[in-house]
Amino acid sequence: MGSADSKLNFRKAVIQLTTKTQPVEATDDAFWDQFWADTATSVQDVFALVPAAEIRAVREESPSNLATLCYKAVEKLVQGAESSCHSEKEKQIVLNCSRLLTRVLPYIFEDPDWRGFFWSTVPGAGRGGGEDDDENARPLAESLLLAVADLLFCPDFTVQSHRRSSVDSAEDVHSLDSCEYIWEAGVGFAHSPQPNYIHDMNRMELLKLLLTCFSEAMYLPPSPDSGSTNPWVQFFCSTENRHALPLFTSLLNTVCAYDPVGYGIPYNHLLFSDYREPLVEEAVQVLIVTLDHDHTTSASPTVDGTTTGTAMDDADPPGPENLFVNYLSRIHREEDFQFILKGIARLLSNPLLQTYLPNSTKKIQFHQELLVLFWKLCDFNKKFLFFVLKSSDVLDILVPILYFLNDARADQSRVGLMHIGVFILLLLSGERNFGVRLNKPYSVRVPMDVPVFTGTHADLLIVVFHKIITSGHQRLQPLFDCLLTIVVNVSPYLKSLSMVAANKLLHLLEAFSTTWFLFSAAQNHHLVFFLLEVFNNIIQYQFDGNSSLVYAIIRKRSVFHQLASLPADPPAIQKALQRRRRAPEPLSRSGSQEGTSMEGSRPAAPAEPGTLKTSLVATPGIDKLTEKSQVSEDGTLRSLEPASQQSSADGCPAEEEPGQVWREQRRLSSASASGQWSPTSEWVLSWKSKLPLQTIMRLLQVLVPQVEKICIDKGLTDESEILRFLQHGTLVGLLPVPHPILIRKYQANSGTAMWFRTYMWGVIYLRNVDPPVWYDTDVKLFEIQRV
């Protein structure tokens, strides 16, 4: 039958379904088979031939027919799995049912009355009276998920058959050990199967159905109780699914082994169509959704030092119920970590390759999903995090993240990407090794719209952060605390900042310490505290080697003197705020020598008008996101947070009870009747007295006269002579006793768990446009907005 006839027959069946007012019996095979048995329709055809309005009409007007359609389609998948899909006809039926369910499921989820439907047992839906009743009583959702899992390891359909000849009997679905059929070599599997286009396409269709099953989460509003688990994911990742381990491994290996460059040959993708990419996209999306697990609410797997013969650690406590999270947290072999890290770094760097050899490689689009996956790996598997930081390989993750942050800074539709990039860097910056690694010289010249500099990866990070703060869009302001916390965390380890980076840090201090900025919001002064902490750390712990920064501080000494004598009287406060009303510019761009940008770079562009984006829940403040720890002499960390009281405001010495200071500050600043916050003298004095200026003032007191003397004696206007003097100078014995190093480490909390859920599903929603699985359905987890 031709493709056109096939479509016509399918469309006739859909029309019959939507116009029948009477229920059609489940036993009426002649009617139901029209949907899957006699047709060869692509998933795009199914979406075109089954319009949304008609699905909703059947749902409202003949609910029993929609129920029977779903039930019969699941039954066909179960039968296909049982018989291992031998004939071409059976394979076609499975694919047709899979496409139809992918089309219909979102409309079941959007209606609260239907939500329980898949979790109910269908009366009389036993598989022919012979079997015991327990088997017959499986909820429809469970039957569907188990059938999809079986079908993903179906010889000659989704995996290579191991049969020697066609004489052997077919591999029985129940006796088949799916661990021998893992899709790709990598973690826990050494054999790389022959690539097979048809198998990849079939896997992709089934994974799309699986993702659609999991997407019920999109139809529930974001709730503070993020511990609520997704029943579909919970069942699929439980011991009920005997393919959980091989499927987890298949998904992870398929993603990490993917090489879009086309086996190292530039321009190869122009010759061969890449059918792997759609499978990899689907795999990474299914993977991150199965790993959506708020581990603040459950026992998290311990990291013990055991190494066993298997790819997974035999962690002592059983760890989370979700087997995918469990397996991920127990990977422990060095070669597995190397494989995962290399794979993710290769894929994240792919869009950067584009910039200096345009079109040489296929540009992948799933970097946001990869960042979520990398986050999950670091968050759930501490051994992986330590492995990443053990060598300079972490820089292969850092550079792409800085590239994305810089590129997306002006684009309203990519706020989520900005957040996840910053969250990953915050997580990494809590570990000393990250700061140490940043000292590696930066030589890769990825064209980026930042000033040219000669220096290290730390310089690159500071220059990019400066660019985000001074020329990003307004909605990035909540990230400033995070950006500066990262710089504070790494500052004690930075051996030598370039002059460009040093000037950028001082420009930020200048911008953040203007009176109108300090007085215009209750939290703005924290940014000044963070920057002073950066300078103090570098002066106390890395003075030698940082003559550029010391010189920049001396040049801009007036900024520190102004801070020390900050006015706090009411008239001065009013005057500062009036100045603000005249010039609402967020940060002065002047006074920062921009310098020319790198060759070949394009400026960061705002979103095209009309670009779709999904809303995100607010992220917790930095005091909730992080926990303060002090670095002891031997380099170990001890937490400074009292157990009872998790969070505090920054910008106050560690010895004080932070919560009290915070409440005190709230009390001191007056909230006027309109609910508008306004600064008071008491409020300004309460934090001004705590500005950590002693070290810098002492440095200026000692060095400024010496530098001035050199200038007068030698009639100098030349920086290099002064820098040479500063390089050989020393402040040993002249500075206050070094303060202990404070690190603010990321701590898991339900606020970020909820943020990740909305961000991840928003990305998946927007990226699935062909077919548009969720478009125009009534999602509740986020709003769809146009820029």
Side-chain angles (χ1 to χ4, degrees):
M1 178 168 55
S3 151
D5 294 340
S6 182
K7 282 188 203 173
L8 195 61
N9 289 353
F10 180 76
R11 180 65 193 138
K12 276 184 192 155
V14 174
I15 291 169
Q16 282 178 25
L17 181 68
T18 50
T19 49
K20 280 199 192 300
T21 46
Q22 294 307 309
V24 182
E25 288 299 323
T27 49
D28 183 354
D29 285 338
F31 176 75
W32 296 112
D33 281 353
Q34 305 178 87
F35 289 96
W36 38 74
D38 321 323
T39 58
T41 41
S42 69
V43 67
Q44 284 75 13
D45 292 339
V46 170
F47 271 70
L49 300 172
V50 187
E54 294 181 16
I55 305 174
R56 291 190 175 114
V58 177
R59 187 183 70 196
E60 305 309 320
E61 287 146 35
S62 15
S64 73
N65 287 345
L66 182 60
T68 307
L69 179 73
C70 292
Y71 154 63
K72 294 292 284 186
V74 172
E75 187 183 54
K76 288 291 171 198
L77 290 180
V78 170
Q79 287 167 2
E82 288 286 321
S83 69
S84 306
C85 282
H86 290 314
S87 63
E88 282 309 308
K89 177 160 183 162
E90 279 180 288
K91 291 174 184 169
Q92 194 54 58
I93 289 177
V94 162
L95 291 172
N96 286 338
C97 290
S98 179
R99 291 161 187 163
L100 194 58
L101 285 167
T102 300
R103 180 60 173 144
V104 169
L105 273 166
Y107 298 91
I108 300 256
F109 294 151
E110 71 176 2
D111 184 339
D113 295 338
W114 275 81
R115 224 161 266 149
F117 168 70
F118 270 88
W119 295 97
S120 57
T121 48
V122 181
R127 309 207 179 98
E131 296 179 32
D132 55 275
D133 287 333
D134 291 357
E135 188 51 38
N136 297 343
R138 253 201 199 291
L140 202 52
E142 295 186 5
S143 303
L144 170 55
L145 290 171
L146 293 176
V148 171
D150 279 341
L151 287 164
L152 285 167
F153 292 99
C154 185
D156 285 330
F157 181 52
T158 49
V159 291
Q160 218 71 51
S161 170
H162 292 186
R163 269 181 310 170
R164 295 288 163 270
S165 72
S166 53
V167 185
D168 295 353
S169 65
E171 286 140 299
D172 175 42
V173 65
H174 295 295
S175 61
L176 173 138
D177 176 6
S178 45
C179 286
E180 292 171 16
Y181 291 85
I182 287 171
W183 301 351
E184 185 57 75
V187 176
F189 195 67
H191 166 69
S192 190
Q194 202 49 45
N196 182 315
Y197 170 66
I198 305 289
H199 294 173
D200 277 0
M201 296 309 284
N202 295 342
R203 291 164 178 173
M204 190 198 83
E205 300 244 21
L206 290 164
L207 289 177
K208 197 175 279 302
L209 171 58
L210 198 52
L211 194 60
T212 309
C213 291
F214 295 160
S215 72
E216 186 178 9
M218 283 197 214
Y219 298 89
L220 304 169
S223 66
D225 165 34
S226 63
S228 56
T229 39
N230 180 329
W232 295 84
V233 171
Q234 190 177 7
F235 179 79
F236 191 78
C237 298
S238 73
T239 48
E240 294 269 351
N241 177 1
R242 69 191 183 92
H243 303 293
L245 178 58
L247 188 59
F248 168 77
T249 315
S250 293
L251 295 172
L252 183 63
N253 293 353
T254 299
V255 173
C256 295
Y258 176 54
D259 179 9
V261 177
Y263 311 107
I265 307 159
Y267 302 101
N268 205 10
H269 73 103
L270 301 176
L271 309 178
F272 304 102
S273 90
D274 176 8
Y275 53 83
R276 206 78 238 244
E277 189 186 14
L279 173 66
V280 175
E281 290 215 344
E282 219 61 59
V284 72
Q285 291 181 359
V286 167
L287 197 52
I288 60 177
V289 169
T290 54
L291 296 169
D292 177 21
H293 170 77
D294 178 6
H295 66 163
T296 51
T297 55
S298 64
S300 87
T302 59
V303 181
D304 60 355
T306 57
T307 43
T308 54
T310 61
M312 306 300 163
D313 230 344
D314 288 336
D316 218 359
E321 297 284 286
N322 176 327
L323 291 179
F324 279 39
V325 174
N326 199 336
Y327 297 144
L328 185 83
S329 67
R330 284 171 31 206
I331 298 171
H332 64 100
R333 287 200 290 218
E334 296 261 313
E335 59 269 34
D336 290 341
F337 286 158
Q338 190 60 34
F339 163 75
I340 294 171
L341 181 58
K342 279 271 178 278
I344 292 178
R346 178 177 60 244
L347 292 170
L348 284 177
S349 309
N350 163 277
L352 285 61
L353 293 172
Q354 300 301 320
T355 51
Y356 44 86
L357 270 181
N359 301 327
S360 63
T361 62
K362 179 165 179 169
K363 186 164 183 179
I364 61 159
Q365 303 292 342
F366 53 91
H367 48 275
Q368 300 194 86
E369 294 93 321
L370 286 166
L371 291 171
V372 175
L373 177 60
F374 182 76
W375 169 270
K376 298 280 179 195
L377 279 155
C378 292
D379 199 22
F380 294 154
N381 189 324
K382 287 300 167 242
K383 282 186 182 168
F384 177 74
L385 176 62
F386 299 143
F387 176 84
V388 169
L389 293 164
K390 204 170 68 174
S391 74
S392 51
D393 288 351
V394 64
L395 303 175
D396 298 336
I397 299 285
L398 170 74
V399 172
I401 288 178
L402 291 175
Y403 173 84
F404 293 132
L405 291 177
N406 190 55
D407 189 53
R409 68 177 193 265
D411 184 341
Q412 293 266 4
S413 70
R414 292 196 283 169
V415 179
L417 171 62
M418 297 292 296
H419 277 75
I420 189 166
V422 172
F423 282 160
I424 289 172
L425 298 183
L426 179 66
L427 181 71
L428 295 173
S429 75
E431 307 297 331
R432 171 182 178 275
N433 264 354
F434 182 63
V436 175
R437 298 284 159 241
L438 290 178
N439 290 307
K440 188 176 175 183
Y442 175 68
S443 49
V444 204
R445 287 283 168 244
V446 177
M448 278 163 91
D449 174 28
V450 293
V452 179
F453 66 91
T454 306
T456 65
H457 285 76
D459 295 305
L460 177 67
L461 178 132
I462 288 168
V463 165
V464 168
F465 283 11
H466 173 270
K467 200 85 176 169
I468 294 167
I469 291 171
T470 57
S471 67
H473 56 79
Q474 291 288 312
R475 293 197 41 211
L476 299 179
Q477 275 215 334
L479 280 177
F480 291 1
D481 276 347
C482 270
L483 291 167
L484 292 187
T485 297
I486 294 164
V487 181
V488 174
N489 282 347
V490 301
S491 59
Y493 311 108
L494 304 184
K495 291 196 170 2
S496 138
L497 286 184
S498 69
M499 191 57 97
V500 173
N503 284 334
K504 296 300 176 207
L505 286 175
L506 279 140
H507 176 242
L508 289 179
L509 182 71
E510 227 176 338
F512 290 149
S513 58
T514 60
T515 48
W516 75 256
F517 183 77
L518 283 173
F519 298 161
S520 61
Q523 325 258 326
N524 283 356
H525 62 280
H526 292 183
L527 299 171
V528 169
F529 276 83
F530 286 138
L531 284 163
L532 292 176
E533 211 175 320
V534 170
F535 298 143
N536 289 338
N537 282 342
I538 294 178
I539 293 166
Q540 290 281 17
Y541 293 99
Q542 300 287 351
F543 181 81
D544 303 337
N546 271 300
S547 50
S548 296
L549 181 68
V550 174
Y551 179 61
I553 289 173
I554 291 173
R555 274 190 47 225
K556 292 284 186 187
R557 56 190 178 276
S558 60
V559 180
F560 299 96
H561 291 302
Q562 277 161 12
L563 269 175
S565 56
L566 188 74
D569 53 300
I573 293 176
Q574 281 326 106
K575 192 170 159 200
L577 294 176
Q578 273 156 4
R579 193 173 326 139
R580 180 195 178 200
R581 280 182 207 109
R582 284 202 300 277
E585 182 66 4
L587 284 176
S588 87
R589 312 277 195 268
S590 60
S592 157
Q593 299 79 3
E594 266 308 308
T596 46
S597 279
M598 292 185 186
E599 207 176 322
S601 66
R602 294 189 312 271
E608 292 285 319
T611 306
L612 287 181
K613 66 188 180 72
T614 53
S615 62
L616 292 162
V617 291
T619 50
I622 194 74
D623 51 333
K624 293 266 192 306
L625 266 183
T626 56
E627 150 178 283
K628 278 196 211 159
S629 306
Q630 196 168 308
V631 181
S632 319
E633 296 289 310
D634 60 358
T636 54
L637 290 179
R638 70 183 182 81
S639 171
L640 294 177
E641 307 278 332
S644 61
Q645 185 219 321
Q646 267 322 116
S647 59
S648 70
D650 285 321
C652 43
E655 305 80 75
E656 296 208 31
E657 184 63 25
Q660 290 167 350
V661 177
W662 184 230
R663 281 192 290 278
E664 192 60 2
Q665 290 187 6
R666 284 328 277 263
R667 193 179 61 71
L668 294 171
S669 58
S670 66
S672 61
S674 65
Q676 273 293 1
W677 174 87
S678 67
T680 65
S681 298
E682 294 80 12
W683 171 76
V684 176
L685 292 169
S686 72
W687 55 260
K688 177 186 165 182
S689 61
K690 300 191 181 74
L691 285 167
L693 287 163
Q694 305 81 325
T695 302
I696 294 170
M697 288 310 194
R698 183 79 187 119
L699 172 139
L700 292 172
Q701 196 185 351
V702 174
L703 293 177
V704 169
Q706 298 180 351
V707 169
E708 283 176 339
K709 185 172 186 313
I710 296 177
C711 294
I712 293 163
D713 289 355
K714 308 204 169 168
L716 275 188
T717 48
D718 178 24
E719 293 189 351
S720 57
E721 186 80 26
I722 299 168
L723 282 169
R724 215 176 354 253
F725 160 71
L726 291 173
Q727 261 157 14
H728 299 107
T730 172
L731 292 174
V732 174
L734 297 171
L735 292 178
V737 181
H739 54 286
I741 296 174
L742 271 190
I743 299 289
R744 294 174 184 81
K745 280 174 85 90
Y746 168 80
Q747 56 167 3
N749 61 79
S750 48
T752 40
M754 194 64 230
W755 184 89
F756 271 98
R757 181 173 302 170
T758 53
Y759 170 59
M760 170 183 80
W761 278 114
V763 169
I764 291 171
Y765 176 96
L766 291 172
R767 299 251 302 104
N768 282 273
V769 284
D770 182 26
V773 183
W774 298 282
Y775 270 60
D776 292 328
T777 61
D778 189 13
V779 295
K780 296 275 194 296
L781 184 61
F782 44 77
E783 290 170 28
I784 293 90
Q785 302 159 338
R786 281 190 190 279
V787 173

